[in-house]
């Protein structure tokens, strides 16, 4: 039997962040093997690079 509807990935126990500004939003999900600090650092670096590219 075929199931219809949305398929959701398995829930991870890794850190996740969701940010919204106006109509823009971003979701960052990190591996459960990665520390929260490493995830925050990587997300910050990525957001800094994206911000510079958009100027």
């Amino acid at each position: 039997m075929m199931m219809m509807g949305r398929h959701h990935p398995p829930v991870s126990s890794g850190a996740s962040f969701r940010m919204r500004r106006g109509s823009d939003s971003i979701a960052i999900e990190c591996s459960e093997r990665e520390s929260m600090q490493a995830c925050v650092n990587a997300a910050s670096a990525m957001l800094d690079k994206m911000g510079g590219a958009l100027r």
Side-chain angles (χ1 to χ4, degrees):
M1 174 180 356
M2 184 175 205
M3 301 280 298
M4 300 299 282
R6 291 177 58 162
H7 297 278
H8 299 283
V11 176
S12 171
S13 62
S16 64
F17 308 91
R18 287 169 182 36
M19 295 169 266
R20 180 175 296 184
R21 183 175 58 181
S23 63
D24 298 327
S25 65
I26 187 168
I28 299 169
E29 297 183 23
C30 297
S31 169
E32 58 195 40
R33 296 181 304 253
E34 187 174 24
S35 73
M36 185 178 294
Q37 187 62 52
C39 182
V40 168
N41 291 344
S44 294
M46 181 186 69
L47 291 169
D48 287 344
K49 287 181 181 183
M50 287 176 59
L54 297 174
R55 293 183 190 149

